[in-house]
C-alpha cells in the first residue's frame, strides 16, 4: 500500500511584528503606488493587521504621523507611523489569521 502523507496545519507563530515587517505591510497597502497612504488605504492595512476598530486606529495614526497635516502619510512620515504601530503590539499570528480569512476557497 502506498504511503499517503497526512498534512497537519502548523501553528501560526505568535510574536510581534517588527518595524521592517510593518513598513513592508504599509508600503504594500499603497495600492495606487503614489508613495502616500490615504485614510482608506491605511484602514485596509489595519484590517489586515487584525485591528478590532480600524477606523479609530487610522484616526490615531494620522494624529501621530501626518506631520504636515495634508491628509495622507508620505514615505517621509512612514517611520512615525511605524513607531506608533510597533507600540500597539500587533503580532504575526493576528496578521496571518487575517490573511487567511481574506482567502476565498
Amino acid at each position: 500500500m502506498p504511503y499517503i502523507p497526512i498534512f497537519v496545519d502548523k501553528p501560526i507563530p505568535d510574536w510581534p511584528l517588527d518595524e521592517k515587517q510593518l513598513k513592508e505591510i504599509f508600503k504594500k497597502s499603497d495600492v495606487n503606488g503614489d508613495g502616500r497612504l490615504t485614510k482608506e488605504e491605511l484602514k485596509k492595512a489595519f484590517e489586515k493587521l487584525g485591528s478590532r476598530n480600524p477606523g479609530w486606529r487610522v484616526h490615531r495614526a494620522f494624529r501621530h504621523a501626518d506631520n504636515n497635516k495634508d491628509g495622507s502619510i508620505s514615505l517621509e512620515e512612514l517611520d512615525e507611523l511605524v513607531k506608533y504601530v510597533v507600540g500597539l503590539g500587533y503580532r504575526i499570528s493576528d496578521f496571518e489569521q487575517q490573511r487567511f480569512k481574506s482567502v476565498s476557497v
Side-chain angles (χ1 to χ4, degrees):
M1 181 167 203
Y3 172 75
I4 300 173
I6 298 174
F7 295 96
V8 178
D9 288 336
K10 291 182 181 178
I12 297 171
D14 188 32
W15 56 77
L17 289 162
D18 64 26
E19 289 184 17
K20 183 179 176 183
Q21 291 166 317
L22 286 167
K23 193 176 263 194
E24 189 62 30
I25 290 167
F26 289 129
K27 284 182 178 181
K28 287 180 179 179
S29 297
D30 178 19
V31 292
N32 64 3
D34 66 352
R36 310 179 82 64
L37 286 171
T38 64
K39 290 181 180 181
E40 192 57 38
E41 289 170 330
L42 191 54
K43 183 178 179 183
K44 289 181 181 178
F46 278 116
E47 288 170 356
K48 287 179 186 175
L49 288 170
S51 175
R52 291 185 197 146
N53 192 341
W56 184 81
R57 196 52 70 199
V58 167
H59 173 74
R60 298 294 301 154
F62 267 79
R63 291 201 52 183
H64 283 273
D66 186 17
N67 296 325
N68 62 6
K69 308 294 183 222
D70 68 349
S72 64
I73 305 292
S74 66
L75 288 176
E76 293 80 26
E77 296 166 325
L78 190 60
D79 287 335
E80 288 301 314
L81 173 64
V82 169
K83 284 180 195 174
Y84 165 68
V85 176
V86 162
L88 300 174
Y90 286 106
R91 306 185 74 72
I92 295 268
S93 61
D94 299 334
F95 176 65
E96 289 298 320
Q97 288 171 5
Q98 289 302 316
R99 261 189 37 192
F100 290 122
K101 282 182 186 176
S102 67
V103 174
S104 58
V105 178

